[in-house]
């Protein structure tokens, strides 16, 4: 009798397990992707006790946390991070090699598109944008493909690139802030005129007291995230996301945390205020999702595009190794070394962006110089500079004597026509000191954990509660979501689905 009872219990357990699995093709009503710009992983624990029960703590306490999520390429910057989250791949394949980079010798902003026009304002410089420079598809693109373009996909952010790149090529819409005209705008890539709900929302934005008080500097204030949240909720309702027959997607990026981090770094009242206000805004967004779509009917993930270093002066004050590395004299020194060797009169370094040197091949050819020799002189000069750990010849990275972590991340971040020629890896704690990093602020871009270790939380539909310390990567987010939706991965995806997330 006892054996029969045990057998019955075993069969019952197996049947329960089978029926607990989602039916093949079953999907949530809505997918919500949230990217917090410049959010370090350790902020989750740093602020945990101060977070409300309905914001970050709701995601942590009820969702699934990947506590060892790393960025697997360099450089670690905004445009690349947002693109890699949603494409499941790296610059080597998706081609977004920075906020600014060169395409076949032409300097390019990541989302600039001169073939489109602005919609919603007269600010063409801010509004002529699209995802055309991105070479790969996104989660949203695959969702749209799978549903014969019935699904709606909308991107919202303070920054243009943070709204456009996540939403993808076939997005229903992407909206970003035009600070000059105090409104959310888009481009003719998506539509000819703003929907009525955006026009109405812009009336509220234009009257916002924050704009009246600080004008274009709203990114330096936590309330900028409130404006973004208001727009995300307006999009949720205005587009009736999660109300149709097919799964929809909402991509939200919070950028004020990045602007504040660059200005005031990782410690102090400004950063504290930014994350506590973001927690309240996140709680509002979750409440709106519950009301609009229904708790348990949406799948949500929250991550970051990169982290940020502690301010070097703060580190030095506590006897920790850190410092500023780059200044205008570094590039000048490279030019002088090349001119001393070859006697050329015209500059041959086009730019230094995100620790990468872009050589001017046209200028080198016009002066009858040998490209490889010029590059070698530049590399040898850089290797002699203080606090330079490694100098990578991009084309020969696979054959160079480099630690695997540096070699692999350099290769994954390298696109032959877009990434430049030389990568500099600095000593830990040393970072570029320039317009984006004030004396009390910080920046990002390197391979180190302070830049590459990011939060990753899953919450909602079919998500188990728990955590893992297993190493996963930023490129694993897209295949995880796509597997849960039973749709194909983005077309250049290299990541692997995080199986522990599903229940």
């Amino acid at each position: 009798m006892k054996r029969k009872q045990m057998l019955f219990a075993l069969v019952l357990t197996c049947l329960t397990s089978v029926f607990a699995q989602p039916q093949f093709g079953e999907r949530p009503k809505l997918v919500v992707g949230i990217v917090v710009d410049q959010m370090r992983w350790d902020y989750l624990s740093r602020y945990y006790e101060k977070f409300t029960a309905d914001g970050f703590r709701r995601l942590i306490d009820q969702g699934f946390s990947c506590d060892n999520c790393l960025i697997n390429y360099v450089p670690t910057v905004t445009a690349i991070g947002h693109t890699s989250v949603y494409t499941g791949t790296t610059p080597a394949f998706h081609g977004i090699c920075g906020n600014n980079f060169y395409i076949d010798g032409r300097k390019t902003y990541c989302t600039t598109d001169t073939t489109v026009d602005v919609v919603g304002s007269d600010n063409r410089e801010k509004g002529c944008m699209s995802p055309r420079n991105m070479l790969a598809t996104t989660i949203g693109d695959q969702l749209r493909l799978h549903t014969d373009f019935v699904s709606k996909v909308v991107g919202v952010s303070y920054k243009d690139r943070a709204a456009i790149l996540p939403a993808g090529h076939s997005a229903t819409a992407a909206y970003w802030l035009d600070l000059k005209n105090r409104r959310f705008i888009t481009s003719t890539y998506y539509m000819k005129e703003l929907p009525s709900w955006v026009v109405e929302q812009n009336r509220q934005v234009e009257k916002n007291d924050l704009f009246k008080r600080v004008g274009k500097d709203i990114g330096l204030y936590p309330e900028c995230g409130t404006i973004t949240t208001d727009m995300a909720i307006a999009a949720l309702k205005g587009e009736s996301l999660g109300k149709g027959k097919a799964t929809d997607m909402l991509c939200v990026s919070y950028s004020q945390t990045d602007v504040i981090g660059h200005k005031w770094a990782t410690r102090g009242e400004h950063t504290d205020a930014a994350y506590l206000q973001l927690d309240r805004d996140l709680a509002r967004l979750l409440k709106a999702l519950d009301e609009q779509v229904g708790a348990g009917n949406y799948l949500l993930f929250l991550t970051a595009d990169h982290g940020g270093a502690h301010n070097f002066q703060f580190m030095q004050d506590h006897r920790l190794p850190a410092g500023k590395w780059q200044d205008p004299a570094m590039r000048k020194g490279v030019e002088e070394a090349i001119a001393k060797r070859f006697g050329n009169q015209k500059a041959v370094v086009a730019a230094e962006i995100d620790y990468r040197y872009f050589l001017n091949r046209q200028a080198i050819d016009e002066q009858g110089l040998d490209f490889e020799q010029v590059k070698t002189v530049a590399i040898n000069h850089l290797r002699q500079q203080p606090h330079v750990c490694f100098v990578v010849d991009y084309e020969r990275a696979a054959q160079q004597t480099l630690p695997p972590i540096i070699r692999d991340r350099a290769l994954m971040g390298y696109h032959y026509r877009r990434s430049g020629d030389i990568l500099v890896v600095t000593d830990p704690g040393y970072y570029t000191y320039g317009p984006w990093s004030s004396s009390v602020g910080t920046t990002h871009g390197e391979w180190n954990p302070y830049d590459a270790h990011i939060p990753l939380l899953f919450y909602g539909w079919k998500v188990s509660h728990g955590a893992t310390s297993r190493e996963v990567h930023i490129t694993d987010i897209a295949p995880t979501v796509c597997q849960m939706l039973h749709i194909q991965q983005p077309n250049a995806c290299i990541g692997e689905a995080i199986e522990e997330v599903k229940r």
Side-chain angles (χ1 to χ4, degrees), residues 143-201:
L143 182 60
R144 296 262 290 161
L145 277 165
H146 193 86
T147 62
D148 290 328
F149 302 94
V150 174
S151 294
K152 295 179 181 179
V153 178
V154 178
V156 174
S157 183
Y158 163 79
K159 293 180 180 177
D160 46 49
R161 56 188 179 271
I164 292 168
L165 298 170
H169 296 275
S170 66
T172 311
Y175 302 103
W176 56 95
L177 266 174
D178 173 6
L179 298 177
K180 175 184 175 183
N181 293 293
R182 302 183 180 185
R183 65 189 66 173
F184 281 94
I185 61 173
T186 189
S187 78
T188 52
Y189 179 88
Y190 304 97
M191 62 192 71
K192 293 182 179 179
E193 60 183 18
L194 294 177
S196 58
W197 69 263
V198 178
V199 174
E200 176 56 34
Q201 184 61 27

Side-chain angles (χ1 to χ4, degrees), residues 66-141:
C66 298
D67 293 335
N68 194 21
C69 183
L70 302 176
I71 295 175
N72 52 347
Y73 56 79
V74 285
T76 47
V77 297
T78 297
I80 303 178
H82 281 79
T83 306
S84 297
V85 166
Y86 286 88
T87 62
T89 193
T90 71
F93 301 100
H94 62 57
I96 297 299
C97 297
N99 300 333
N100 295 280
F101 51 96
Y102 281 71
I103 300 180
D104 296 327
R106 184 185 75 257
K107 190 172 184 180
T108 305
Y109 176 67
C110 58
T111 53
T112 292
D113 185 349
T114 58
T115 69
V116 302
D117 206 346
V118 60
V119 174
S121 83
D122 58 358
N123 190 351
R124 285 182 52 82
E125 181 181 0
K126 183 65 175 176
C128 295
M129 303 284 171
S130 87
R132 285 195 172 109
N133 290 326
M134 182 168 60
L135 304 177
T137 60
T138 63
I139 301 170
D141 290 329

